[in-house]
Amino acid sequence: MSEIEGVVERITYQNEENGFTVARLKTEEEKITIVGHLTNVRSGESLKLTGQWIMHPTYGKQFKVESFEVVPPMTIEGIQLYLGSGLIKGIGPVTAKKIVKTFGLSTLKMIEEHPEKLLEVEGIGPQKAEKIKKVFEEQKNVHQMMIFLRGVGITPALALKIYQHYGEKAAEIVKENPYRLADEVFGVGFKTADRIAGLLGRKDPASPERVSAGILYFLRKSTEAGHVFMPQEEFAAQVGLELGITVESVLTGISSLIRQKEVYLDEERLYLSVFYWTERKVAEKLCSLLMAPHSKELLLSKELAELKLSALTFEQRLAVEKANQEGVLLITGGPGTGKTTTVRSLTQLFSLKEQRIVLAAPTGRAAKRLAEATGEKAKTIHRLLEFGYTPGVGLKYGRNEECPLEADVVIIDEASMIDLLLFHHLLKAITPGTKLILVGDQDQLPSVGAGSVLRDLIASGVIPTVRLKTVFRQSKTSKIVTNAHRVNEGLMPELKGANDFYFIREPEPAKITEAIVRLVGVRLPRYLKCDPIEEIQVLSPMRKTVTGVENLNLELQRILNPESSSKPELLYAERLFRQGDKVMQIKNDYQKMIFNGDMGRILKIDPEEEELVVTFTEEKGERLVTYEYEELDELVLAYAISVHKSQGSEYPVIVLPVTTQHFLLLQRNLFYTAITRAKKMVVLVGTKKALAIAVKNNKIEKRNSWLDQLLKELQGNF
């Protein structure tokens, strides 16, 4: 074994899943290539490495790392890289160079002991010096903790989050029970916590802390996959296999968590407790809304007949009549069947009797589209429920049982996107006597969050439902609409004679990506005279692979927003953000009131302060949101997004790779959802074989939920 020390000059390659890294290291004598599992080391860090020299047949001499330790930088260059690498907010590369030029090897000691001397550095005034002093004071504890945490495989950004969550006790808590991290800190999963536990010498695979953490982790993972509960026997076997322990040990852990009220077992259905009670309360509240007398007398049959409903189809008229009669109504239908026209008719109907109407949708884009279509105000569901941060209280919904919505009628569009937890909060804010009308397409993908609310309500047979089936004549001229219905019926789309639906044959995945980049970057903008960033959206079923979201984003960023001296950049965990980039939020941030799937553009980047500003389109217009460096794990590029993330949005043009490389996700409802996102044009790039697989595969992944059964059970009580 050999030992070397040096400064990481640049990261050539890094696998975020397993930490395998290729990097250039500058030692005192030379620059070398190092390879190994270095778990997200960053440029500028000083490392002490143990390993051996190897000769790669293509890349030559390399140092294969067996173990490593992050050490404080000892050279001028190392200190400069360290200060400018993002570890200390407020000091970017330019300021770092000036500081190190002034204080040399004493830089870190000077900042810690005599921060007032920063005023000697050109460009640093009292305000900035005070800010750097404050940040460095905060970093004193963080620095020591980071050295400890990096030794157990935690990135600098995540180490800072852990410190912010636990404060000075962070290292102590991690040593005492690393599994708390998986439970309490966003960005730390069970596998990371388990790896840390192993490095800390915790070797018992069946320890109570590990088993409990594993059970909760895999239950939460199941909710992320859409399940509300898991069958206990199947779940226990899965967890036992994942953790390398007996099923008996898992069942013992489940019993312990039941006593702690963390999980709930109903017959053989195992829930996280919050989902068990939420599912029951949703069913109970729906039944109370169904049976409640309406708050105001609505139109009589004679008055209904006098309304101008002749332009509506039979199903649309039925929807209007049912809305007049029922406390809860579901309206479902595919593209071109007149859902928007029906909602517009309903708002006119209720306005005649001076009913207080509120309109909402799950996303800002959907709410804005609803407002434009009806001429009425519309909000996101979160804003309708006045969700936000209250000083002294924290995050809460302003509208609930104590402070319900002031409405006689609540109409929710894009209802297929509503998950169980959000639906529960909506129902809590609706008083019995208020009408609830849910509008959506049951054949689209279900919600990103747990549950299958719209499908369950329809499947129960308890909630009155009207399905719009008639495709309007003007919609029949659109191949987007006709092909969406063909796909939904299991038929291949018609690919000839269309001016808004195109298929480009390309068998090789790498060539598919090249074709998409040419289409978005050159051909479509020239043909349609459109803005490729704002008006063209690439969708892909998968994140990985050459035709997946991540690679497509890199290629599209290169051509749509190329590198320029006039565009500041910010690198986060090998993720490059550039001013002007199209980005998407991937986590609900309740303090910023930005939600998973919201899309915007980077308006401004300040590399020195390590922050960026994103402008988001909302129902009221544009809103600017500032992200600090440690918050950038919430953002990804969005030139290409997954089909799931496109739900609730419409785009003038969508481009979709269709390849057998995505075999596992070639499903009819996913393909149907993708093409129904387009308003003006669909372009498919790939093979007809993959297209046929998607159309024929009508296997809808079953989500474990009990809402439809609960509604049937409760039906007998009213």
Side-chain angles (χ1 to χ4, degrees):
M1 287 287 180
S2 302
E3 286 190 357
I4 59 172
E5 289 190 33
V7 178
V8 178
E9 193 174 59
R10 73 171 186 271
I11 304 294
T12 305
Y13 169 79
Q14 194 160 65
N15 185 315
E16 292 184 6
E17 292 184 355
N18 60 24
F20 181 78
T21 302
V22 179
R24 291 290 285 173
L25 188 82
K26 186 174 183 181
T27 68
E28 289 185 0
E29 297 83 22
E30 60 181 336
K31 294 181 181 180
I32 64 171
T33 297
I34 58 174
V35 297
H37 295 275
L38 285 95
T39 321
N40 291 310
V41 296
R42 290 178 56 156
S43 300
E45 289 188 315
S46 296
L47 304 179
K48 182 185 290 184
L49 308 166
T50 301
Q52 56 186 325
W53 292 98
I54 62 171
M55 185 62 69
H56 192 280
T58 303
Y59 302 110
K61 189 179 179 183
Q62 298 178 337
F63 189 80
K64 185 178 180 181
V65 180
E66 299 294 334
S67 64
F68 74 98
E69 177 186 351
V70 181
V71 296
M74 303 299 291
T75 65
I76 292 287
E77 186 176 12
I79 293 170
Q80 185 174 313
L81 281 168
Y82 173 78
L83 286 178
S85 67
L87 295 177
I88 302 174
K89 182 169 169 56
I91 303 178
V94 176
T95 302
K97 186 175 182 179
K98 291 178 181 178
I99 294 172
V100 174
K101 184 178 180 182
T102 304
F103 301 108
L105 291 171
S106 303
T107 296
L108 297 181
K109 184 177 181 182
M110 184 282 305
I111 294 176
E112 185 173 350
E113 297 178 1
H114 303 286
E116 68 279 358
K117 290 189 175 182
L118 285 166
L119 293 171
E120 299 173 17
V121 179
E122 179 191 353
I124 296 183
Q127 188 175 359
K128 189 159 190 174
E130 183 62 31
K131 185 176 181 181
I132 293 172
K133 172 189 172 184
K134 183 180 178 183
V135 169
F136 203 82
E137 284 176 353
E138 292 173 355
Q139 289 292 326
K140 277 193 228 176
N141 292 324
V142 177
H143 180 64
Q144 293 303 316
M145 186 192 70
M146 283 172 70
I147 292 175
F148 160 70
L149 292 175
R150 287 307 303 277
V152 292
I154 295 180
T155 65
L158 204 49
L160 188 57
K161 284 195 170 188
I162 292 170
Y163 175 76
Q164 289 170 338
H165 190 85
Y166 295 120
E168 294 180 2
K169 294 184 177 179
E172 178 186 331
I173 287 171
V174 171
K175 290 176 185 175
E176 181 185 335
N177 182 7
Y179 293 105
R180 283 183 61 178
L181 298 175
D183 231 8
E184 300 169 357
V185 182
F186 173 74
V188 181
F190 171 79
K191 292 180 180 178
T192 299
D194 200 33
R195 185 176 69 247
I196 294 169
L199 291 168
L200 290 171
R202 294 170 179 263
K203 303 299 184 185
D204 180 8
S207 68
E209 297 93 346
R210 182 172 188 263
V211 175
S212 292
I215 291 167
L216 292 173
Y217 169 76
F218 286 108
L219 264 183
R220 290 193 183 100
K221 287 290 285 184
S222 73
T223 66
E224 290 171 11
H227 300 299
V228 179
F229 68 85
M230 288 296 289
Q232 181 182 223
E233 185 177 340
E234 172 191 325
F235 178 75
Q238 175 200 343
V239 173
L241 190 64
E242 291 280 355
L243 300 187
I245 59 177
T246 64
V247 171
E248 289 71 22
S249 295
V250 178
L251 293 174
T252 299
I254 289 173
S255 297
S256 175
L257 289 169
I258 290 172
R259 289 193 297 273
Q260 297 168 39
K261 298 185 178 179
E262 294 268 7
V263 303
Y264 197 101
L265 186 64
D266 185 17
E267 296 180 355
E268 276 298 301
R269 299 185 298 278
L270 184 67
Y271 294 81
L272 288 168
S273 290
V274 64
F275 283 97
Y276 172 77
W277 294 111
T278 296
E279 193 174 56
R280 296 198 73 83
K281 288 174 182 176
V282 163
E284 291 166 0
K285 185 60 178 281
L286 280 170
C287 290
S288 70
L289 291 176
L290 275 169
M291 295 307 296
H294 306 314
S295 57
K296 284 190 177 183
E297 179 189 359
L298 294 184
L299 296 174
L300 302 174
S301 297
K302 182 180 178 182
E303 292 173 302
L304 265 177
E306 291 173 357
L307 284 175
K308 295 180 180 179
L309 302 179
S310 58
L312 302 183
T313 65
F314 170 77
E315 295 100 347
Q316 288 176 315
R317 288 197 299 274
L318 180 61
V320 171
E321 291 168 4
K322 286 282 187 183
N324 186 48
Q325 300 162 0
E326 306 290 352
V328 182
L329 177 67
L330 309 177
I331 301 173
T332 183
T337 56
K339 295 191 295 294
T340 300
T341 301
T342 305
V343 171
R344 194 183 300 120
S345 298
L346 289 173
T347 58
Q348 293 168 357
L349 162 66
F350 296 128
S351 295
L352 284 174
K353 283 295 184 178
E354 299 181 347
Q355 299 275 286
R356 296 168 299 175
I357 309 164
V358 296
L359 301 175
T363 67
R365 285 173 179 264
K368 186 178 180 183
R369 195 170 67 249
L370 179 62
E372 291 169 350
T374 62
E376 303 284 343
K377 290 181 180 179
K379 299 179 179 180
T380 63
I381 297 174
H382 281 96
R383 292 197 182 279
L384 177 67
L385 300 180
E386 298 176 9
F387 184 80
Y389 180 80
T390 304
V393 179
L395 294 165
K396 63 170 289 187
Y397 286 89
R399 294 290 180 174
N400 48 38
E401 300 98 330
E402 290 76 35
C403 185
L405 293 168
E406 297 173 359
D408 299 307
V409 183
V410 176
I411 301 176
I412 306 295
D413 197 14
E414 295 288 354
S416 63
M417 293 183 66
I418 303 176
D419 61 55
L420 185 69
L421 293 179
L422 181 58
F423 193 48
H424 173 53
H425 286 291
L426 174 66
L427 292 177
K428 284 170 70 176
I430 299 176
T431 32
T434 297
K435 285 180 176 291
L436 173 62
I437 299 171
L438 302 174
V439 183
D441 185 347
Q442 70 173 39
D443 296 317
Q444 286 190 25
L445 291 170
S447 59
V448 174
S452 187
V453 171
L454 184 62
R455 285 182 188 164
D456 283 350
L457 298 189
I458 294 171
S460 73
V462 173
I463 312 297
T465 302
V466 176
R467 178 150 195 170
L468 306 178
K469 300 175 183 177
T470 304
V471 178
F472 279 78
R473 184 177 302 164
Q474 61 269 30
S475 295
K476 289 181 179 179
T477 63
S478 165
K479 286 292 185 183
I480 297 174
V481 172
T482 56
N483 280 337
H485 285 278
R486 285 181 66 85
V487 167
N488 206 29
E489 293 164 8
L491 302 173
M492 285 287 282
E494 294 176 348
L495 303 174
K496 292 182 179 179
N499 58 10
D500 63 354
F501 199 103
Y502 296 94
F503 176 81
I504 297 174
R505 184 181 178 278
E506 187 55 74
E508 296 296 326
K511 296 291 185 183
I512 291 173
T513 297
E514 289 177 14
I516 288 173
V517 171
R518 283 197 306 274
L519 277 166
V520 178
V522 181
R523 294 178 62 188
L524 287 172
R526 185 181 295 164
Y527 176 63
L528 297 172
K529 296 181 173 54
C530 67
D531 181 337
I533 296 179
E534 292 295 330
E535 298 180 71
I536 303 174
Q537 184 61 59
V538 177
L539 305 180
S540 179
M542 297 185 75
R543 296 209 62 80
K544 304 296 181 182
T545 76
V546 70
T547 54
V549 168
E550 293 178 3
N551 186 58
L552 284 167
N553 268 317
L554 293 176
E555 294 297 322
L556 290 165
Q557 181 192 45
R558 179 178 55 80
I559 194 167
L560 295 178
N561 192 27
E563 182 180 0
S564 167
S565 59
S566 65
K567 298 176 187 174
E569 298 176 347
L570 199 54
L571 185 66
Y572 176 87
E574 310 309 315
R575 191 184 300 165
L576 182 67
F577 294 105
R578 184 175 292 139
Q579 188 168 302
D581 273 338
K582 186 177 184 179
V583 292
M584 181 173 64
Q585 178 82 8
I586 57 171
K587 172 201 171 190
N588 288 340
D589 189 324
Y590 297 113
Q591 292 191 336
K592 287 184 169 64
M593 288 297 287
I594 296 294
F595 301 101
N596 188 355
D598 286 352
M599 291 171 60
R601 294 281 295 273
I602 297 179
L603 183 68
K604 176 185 175 184
I605 290 181
D606 188 333
E608 196 74 6
E609 295 298 323
E610 294 187 302
E611 63 181 29
L612 55 80
V613 178
V614 178
T615 176
F616 289 96
T617 300
E618 299 187 341
E619 63 269 27
K620 292 183 178 179
E622 302 295 316
R623 183 159 77 94
L624 303 184
V625 178
T626 299
Y627 290 80
E628 298 188 355
Y629 185 81
E630 59 270 18
E631 298 171 322
L632 294 182
D633 60 345
E634 299 179 8
L635 283 180
V636 295
L637 294 176
Y639 300 104
I641 62 174
S642 69
V643 178
H644 284 82
K645 294 290 188 184
S646 72
Q647 287 175 268
S649 296
E650 283 186 348
Y651 311 96
V653 182
I654 70 113
V655 179
L656 180 75
V658 187
T659 167
T660 52
Q661 197 176 37
H662 299 158
F663 184 82
L664 292 174
L665 288 175
L666 289 176
Q667 298 168 356
R668 186 187 300 174
N669 66 336
L670 186 139
F671 184 46
Y672 171 77
T673 299
I675 61 180
T676 56
R677 300 306 88 210
K679 291 191 290 185
K680 295 181 180 178
M681 183 178 290
V682 171
V683 183
L684 310 176
V685 185
T687 67
K688 289 187 178 180
K689 178 181 178 182
L691 190 56
I693 292 171
V695 170
K696 291 175 184 176
N697 182 10
N698 197 31
K699 183 182 177 183
I700 296 174
E701 194 170 329
K702 177 76 171 71
R703 290 189 166 191
N704 297 326
S705 64
W706 204 245
L707 181 58
D708 57 340
Q709 298 302 316
L710 283 172
L711 286 167
K712 290 175 183 177
E713 290 172 15
L714 291 170
Q715 186 180 25
N717 299 328
F718 61 88

